[in-house]
Amino acid sequence: VNVTCFVPEPRTTRGEADAVRQLALEEGWTKVTVVTMTPHVSRARLIFAQCTDLEIAMSASPERLTTGQITEQVVYQTGALVKAALVGCV
């Protein structure tokens, strides 16, 4: 397994997807595994699908969220998912 670390610009999921797209072109990748927190999986999958032509496997990292954090994430991720669907990869 090869692991590549980078700092995306901008520091957003869209920035990460763009950086991965560039790396994939340079390295000849056809698939990647994206690891993110569980509440972020759906949105990250959408953004990576919008911004790359790669086969994408998603992996949710285990984390323990409090009830308040879960509520916050549901609200934030829902709004951000709608935004991602409307904006696309720009």
Side-chain angles (χ1 to χ4, degrees):
V1 173
N2 293 321
V3 176
T4 302
C5 299
F6 58 90
V7 177
E9 187 58 44
R11 290 183 177 213
T12 62
T13 305
R14 196 168 311 295
E16 291 169 340
D18 188 52
V20 168
R21 182 184 58 76
Q22 290 292 337
L23 283 168
L25 288 171
E26 294 167 11
E27 301 294 330
W29 300 343
T30 58
K31 57 186 172 181
V32 295
T33 300
V34 177
V35 180
T36 190
M37 65 178 186
T38 301
H40 187 236
V41 167
S42 295
R43 183 164 63 93
R45 180 185 295 116
L46 173 65
I47 292 170
F48 272 78
Q50 290 173 328
C51 298
T52 75
D53 293 327
L54 299 168
E55 180 183 328
I56 303 158
M58 300 300 297
S59 180
S61 62
E63 72 278 326
R64 291 179 184 232
L65 300 177
T66 66
T67 303
Q69 290 171 318
I70 291 169
T71 302
E72 178 183 306
Q73 283 298 314
V74 166
V75 171
Y76 177 82
Q77 295 298 337
T78 300
L81 182 63
V82 170
K83 177 185 173 186
L86 294 173
V87 172
C89 191
V90 289

